[in-house]
Amino acid sequence: MSMALRPRRVRRGEYLVAAICVGMITIMIWPIVMSFLASIKPPDEASRPPPHYLPQSLSLENYRSILTYHAGLAVYVGNSLAVAGLTIVFCLVLSVPAGYGLARFDIPGKEVIFLILLASMMLPFQALLVPLYLLFSHIGLTASKLGLAILHTMLQLPFSIYLMRNSFEGIPKEMEEAAVVDGATSLFTLRRIFLPLVMPGMVTVALFAFITSWNEFLGALILMNDEKQFTVPIMMTGVSSGNFGSVNWGGLQASVIVSILPCLIIYLLLQRYYMTGLLSGAVK
Amino acid sequence: MAHVELTDLSKTFGAFQALQDISLHIEKGEFCALLGPSGCGKSTLLRLIAGLEDVTSGEIRINGRDVTDMEPADRKIAMVFQSYALYPHMTVAENIAFSLEAAGMPKAPRLARAAEVAKTLQLDHLLNRRPALLSGGQRQRVAIGRALVRDPEVFLFDEPLSNLDAMLRVQMRMELSSLHHDLAATMIYVTHDQVEAMTMADRIVVMDQGRIRQIGAPMALYAHPADRFVAAFIGSPSMNFLPGTITGTGAQLTLDLGRAAKPFTLTPRGQSAAKGPADLGIRPEHATLTAPDATDATLPARIRLVERLGNQTLVHLETAAGPFTLQGPGDLPAKPGDQTALSFDPSRAHVFGPDGKAI
Ligand SMILES: Nc1ncnc2c1ncn2[C@@H]1O[C@H](COP(=O)(O)OP(=O)(O)O)[C@@H](O)[C@H]1O
Ligand SMILES: [Mg+2]
């Protein structure tokens, strides 16, 4: 108590930690700032050598140009959002029951199943693309948002299941037993006890599913062969290739900024669900 | 007919025998404590009664019904867990009303019922709080409220006070006792703390290594422990054991405590005795200090340490038969280094044979 009342002396170690943090944040923010500054230059200034850090004159021309690029920015953003939304739904629908089962039931050989699940993360996804493409084209899932969402779900599922298993395992066994003694059916317990308590885990799964799907390029490029179905990352490569092999830097940077925005918004919106200590007060 | 009847219960986990041949009858309205050291199977026994574990063999009856293979919810029991197991995302009212919600009772009546229960536990001002904002004692009360609201046949408690500090524990002990008095409900209470068992229980079941060692009223266990284990476990400070040899049997038992001591005679009350090695058991409060040359001096001793607790004094002594702890009045004249002698009251002395059984 008395310790907390005394004015706190900042020690040299804390300055060091702060300096390291500031350094790391700077390194990460730097490219985004540069992108942003380039995106608000007029298109020819953005591509003119030698580049200047600060824009000499301001213009929204780059944003205007990507707005009307081919089918229009709105179509590509809409495609990306639809695919990401489906990916989130698939990931949650599959990983929540899987995590529940792996954490809470005595399934014979479940550790082996779990290891195989995790091992699939080690396979480079590029190696799977050709067989997957053939498979998807057999069952008519190429050039469809549903197909791409399934592909993104495959990418994200092992991590999602791992995360949900951990979330379910974090819930004390006695809490479930208390519910059993109190006469709750397993479905009622899942809905009323487990799901609210694993909400932070579900939010994390959704967030990572969104980011993976939103940014994924190679799978989308190969599966989506109709221009109207392109997602934002594919649109970006289209935007960046200017006339006669030059690079349209301004347009590219504008689309980078546009593509960062949804991730940022979603992160800020969901952040409050990361509340720590949701379980505190349950036991002890 | 007993309210809770356990017949030949056994429980194994793989190859490990956690409980063996447990038979126990608990009467309606009885407060029964399961007492034993950590790991002796108390919680397992309680979980068998609750239905949270399947029995390996044997039978459980509650109020005459065979509940051995019944779901926990159908057994009309309520359980208070050691960790309380409150639902952290629900308010106190929702926690208490949870079993009613699970049973499909509409919101208004179930919250009214929860408020009623909360009132008896002095929780009414906390109904809308989350568990994280409650003190340890309040959480404990919510856990009890969750059991009360179901109006069960039998209450099961698994070390409910072990997470509380000493002061609160004493207070909750009294509250649980008066709750038991008011409800006249059957309660089975697991604890490793003999003080809790002694103060609250009508009857104590002493367990060790998956078996029942002795069943009896608290004072009966204190006065007549069936074996050395029970004798050592009940009472604080613990009983002293002095190794000796039985040299005379019959109506009077004569015990030789070694060359330095005078032979000690007492009336046997347990099984018949044979000559040979045996331990004399003396509770710290049943020995007195006397002059080494006094007629009632049995065992010469030297005082090693004196602990004054105000209302009582603990004297730690060394004797030819080993260390001895004596409990006397607060103003007992004694100081470290003193040569003295111990005097024992034969009517309150215990003798344990080589198998540990009381003689
Ligand atoms: N689910 C289980 N699987 C294996 N062993 C168990 C299990 N539950 C309890 N045990 C063992 O059974 C013994 C008794 O446990 P428990 O009833 O919890 O003891 P107590 O409550 O008396 O401290 C312990 O040795 C414990 O390790
Ligand atoms: Mg226990």
Side-chain angles (χ1 to χ4, degrees):
Chain A
M1 254 329 194
S2 61
M3 292 269 288
L5 291 176
R6 217 177 292 152
R8 219 168 123 271
R9 276 191 21 228
V10 183
R11 273 168 293 124
R12 210 178 299 167
E14 291 179 33
Y15 279 121
L16 188 67
V17 170
I20 292 173
C21 287
V22 168
M24 280 173 38
I25 292 170
T26 309
I27 291 172
M28 287 190 224
I29 295 250
W30 184 249
I32 299 175
V33 172
M34 289 328 311
S35 278
F36 178 70
L37 291 180
S39 74
I40 53 174
K41 293 172 184 171
D44 55 332
E45 188 197 325
S47 301
R48 191 189 314 142
H52 295 275
Y53 286 122
L54 291 177
Q56 332 256 241
S57 55
L58 297 182
S59 150
L60 288 179
E61 186 51 40
N62 291 320
Y63 288 93
R64 218 168 289 138
S65 79
I66 59 167
L67 216 52
T68 54
Y69 180 80
H70 289 249
L73 179 68
V75 170
Y76 302 122
V77 169
N79 288 343
S80 273
L81 284 180
V83 172
L86 280 174
T87 306
I88 290 176
V89 170
F90 291 160
C91 276
L92 284 177
V93 163
L94 292 172
S95 70
V96 169
Y100 183 41
L102 285 169
R104 289 291 168 170
F105 293 89
D106 275 329
I107 305 160
K110 76 174 177 185
E111 294 309 325
V112 178
I113 297 174
F114 189 57
L115 269 184
I116 293 174
L117 259 172
L118 288 189
S120 69
M121 283 203 286
M122 312 297 157
L123 276 183
F125 146 70
Q126 291 78 354
L128 297 176
L129 263 181
V130 172
L132 275 177
Y133 182 81
L134 290 177
L135 179 69
F136 275 36
S137 66
H138 265 299
I139 51 181
L141 281 178
T142 50
S144 98
K145 297 189 192 75
L146 180 66
L148 188 57
I150 290 176
L151 183 79
H152 290 170
T153 305
M154 288 171 49
L155 288 180
Q156 201 51 32
L157 202 54
F159 173 73
S160 304
I161 292 177
Y162 170 76
L163 215 139
M164 286 320 298
R165 179 185 182 166
N166 274 355
S167 294
F168 277 106
E169 275 176 352
I171 299 173
K173 186 123 182 78
E174 287 196 341
M175 214 177 287
E176 185 184 0
E177 290 176 343
V180 168
V181 172
D182 276 349
T185 60
S186 50
L187 222 68
F188 185 78
T189 311
L190 182 67
R191 184 167 63 77
R192 199 71 179 87
I193 310 284
F194 280 120
L195 287 188
L197 293 182
V198 297
M199 191 50 87
M202 287 168 59
V203 168
T204 313
V205 164
L207 188 64
F208 277 84
F210 179 85
I211 292 173
T212 298
S213 171
W214 183 261
N215 292 327
E216 200 278 331
F217 172 71
L218 194 55
L221 179 70
I222 287 173
L223 278 192
M224 308 307 243
N225 36 27
D226 171 7
E227 193 192 77
K228 288 222 165 42
Q229 301 273 27
F230 282 177
T231 54
V232 173
I234 302 176
M235 180 208 78
M236 280 165 64
T237 50
V239 168
S240 71
S241 46
N243 296 331
F244 309 115
S246 68
V247 176
N248 177 1
W249 287 112
L252 178 61
Q253 303 308 352
S255 46
V256 164
I257 294 300
V258 167
S259 78
I260 287 173
L261 281 179
C263 292
L264 202 67
I265 291 169
I266 284 221
Y267 177 74
L268 291 178
L269 280 182
L270 296 187
Q271 182 184 315
R272 68 191 184 92
Y273 290 102
Y274 280 129
M275 275 187 314
T276 52
L278 193 64
L279 277 176
S280 73
V283 293
K284 283 256 173 138
Chain B
M1 181 186 62
H3 200 202
V4 179
E5 286 174 76
L6 312 179
T7 315
D8 293 329
L9 272 189
S10 290
K11 175 68 185 173
T12 52
F13 293 110
F16 178 71
Q17 181 101 32
L19 289 174
Q20 217 169 333
D21 304 329
I22 303 283
S23 291
L24 177 64
H25 286 194
I26 298 165
E27 296 305 323
K28 198 172 180 72
E30 188 177 344
F31 194 120
C32 176
L34 305 180
L35 174 67
S38 179
C40 72
K42 310 177 295 287
S43 296
T44 304
L45 181 53
L46 203 69
R47 292 165 60 81
L48 288 183
I49 300 172
L52 291 170
E53 303 275 359
D54 295 328
V55 306
T56 305
S57 67
E59 191 191 63
I60 303 170
R61 285 177 169 273
I62 295 177
N63 212 3
R65 287 187 313 160
D66 183 353
V67 300
T68 316
D69 298 315
M70 249 183 221
E71 289 298 316
D74 302 329
R75 297 185 180 203
K76 299 198 182 149
I77 48 108
M79 183 153 170
V80 176
F81 291 83
Q82 182 169 7
S83 66
Y84 314 152
L86 301 184
Y87 309 125
H89 56 298
M90 296 185 197
T91 62
V92 167
E94 288 170 327
N95 262 286
I96 293 177
F98 182 80
S99 59
L100 307 177
E101 185 185 348
M105 188 189 276
K107 187 161 185 168
R110 76 170 184 253
L111 289 184
R113 176 89 180 97
E116 219 173 277
V117 167
K119 204 171 171 72
T120 66
L121 294 166
Q122 291 118 49
L123 285 170
D124 26 354
H125 59 297
L126 300 171
L127 278 173
N128 294 317
R129 291 249 186 108
R130 297 270 170 92
L133 299 175
L134 302 181
S135 71
Q138 291 165 339
R139 285 178 201 169
Q140 173 66 76
R141 267 179 244 257
V142 177
I144 292 171
R146 228 165 48 179
L148 276 180
V149 78
R150 305 190 52 210
D151 203 7
E153 297 249 358
V154 182
F155 285 86
L156 308 176
F157 295 93
D158 192 353
E159 312 218 14
L161 306 187
S162 59
N163 288 331
L164 302 179
D165 61 45
M167 290 259 282
L168 208 50
R169 207 148 54 209
V170 174
Q171 188 196 334
M172 285 307 295
R173 225 158 64 194
M174 291 190 292
E175 288 188 22
L176 276 177
S177 289
S178 69
L179 187 71
H180 174 243
H181 181 83
D182 295 344
L183 297 175
T186 309
M187 295 187 173
I188 306 179
Y189 186 101
V190 161
T191 179
H192 68 269
D193 180 353
Q194 57 103 15
V195 176
E196 279 178 24
M198 292 291 285
T199 51
M200 291 193 280
D202 298 318
R203 221 153 44 114
I204 299 176
V205 178
V206 183
M207 296 177 60
D208 183 37
Q209 295 180 0
R211 290 171 179 278
I212 293 179
R213 297 299 282 256
Q214 191 174 1
I215 305 174
M219 285 314 286
L221 293 188
Y222 173 82
H224 304 294
D227 59 29
R228 214 186 130 129
F229 176 83
V230 176
F233 205 80
I234 303 259
S236 170
S238 196
M239 187 185 277
N240 297 289
F241 296 99
L242 302 170
T245 314
I246 296 178
T247 52
T249 56
Q252 288 286 304
L253 215 57
T254 309
L255 202 70
D256 186 359
L257 291 174
R259 226 171 306 142
K262 282 188 209 153
F264 184 68
T265 54
L266 73 168
T267 319
R269 51 175 110 76
Q271 61 184 32
S272 62
K275 287 185 185 173
D279 287 341
L280 179 65
I282 305 285
R283 292 200 184 277
E285 56 274 33
H286 296 155
T288 47
L289 293 181
T290 185
D293 52 359
T295 50
D296 61 346
T298 301
L299 188 61
R302 199 179 68 84
I303 297 180
R304 196 163 54 80
L305 189 72
V306 178
E307 290 179 297
R308 304 240 177 237
L309 306 178
N311 62 336
Q312 63 183 53
T313 304
L314 293 182
V315 184
H316 301 274
L317 306 111
E318 273 169 57
T319 75
F324 193 96
T325 303
L326 175 143
Q327 181 187 324
D331 56 358
L332 181 76
K335 61 179 194 299
D338 279 0
Q339 284 295 339
T340 177
L342 289 165
S343 165
F344 307 136
D345 175 358
S347 69
R348 292 168 129 176
H350 308 263
V351 180
F352 301 99
D355 57 353
K357 294 260 184 294
I359 294 173

